[in-house]
Amino acid sequence: METKNALKPAKKCYSHIGGKLGELLLETFADKKWIAKNEASDKHFYITELGEKEFAKLGIDLTKIKSEAI
């Protein structure tokens, strides 16, 4: 068991992961081209075809995500 000082925070912000873990996940998924933006200035990312395949390999059910116009 890890000591309290060794624990790494995974913060929940409303209904998503926030904090450093959320930031690292976002950066990693973007670097791997699992998520992307239409324009660099866009606020929102979309899941790419590659991302759909790779998230499925991790057992993540993307059907639980509502589609949104971007």
Side-chain angles (χ1 to χ4, degrees):
M1 185 170 163
E2 293 185 56
T3 64
K4 185 170 182 162
N5 291 339
L7 297 176
K8 302 292 185 200
K11 298 177 183 177
K12 185 173 181 183
C13 180
Y14 298 97
S15 63
H16 63 274
I17 294 175
K20 189 63 178 176
L21 177 59
E23 183 182 335
L24 291 170
L25 288 170
L26 179 77
E27 290 172 3
T28 299
F29 296 154
D31 289 347
K32 291 178 174 281
K33 309 284 193 257
W34 294 11
I35 61 173
K37 294 180 178 184
N38 287 321
E39 301 289 333
S41 62
D42 288 350
K43 181 178 178 182
H44 300 284
F45 289 82
Y46 64 90
I47 299 169
T48 65
E49 287 185 38
L50 175 61
E52 289 178 12
K53 293 174 187 172
E54 296 303 321
F55 286 124
K57 288 179 188 177
L58 295 174
I60 296 172
D61 182 1
L62 297 178
T63 64
K64 294 181 179 184
I65 300 173
K66 294 179 186 176
S67 293
E68 297 179 6
I70 54 173

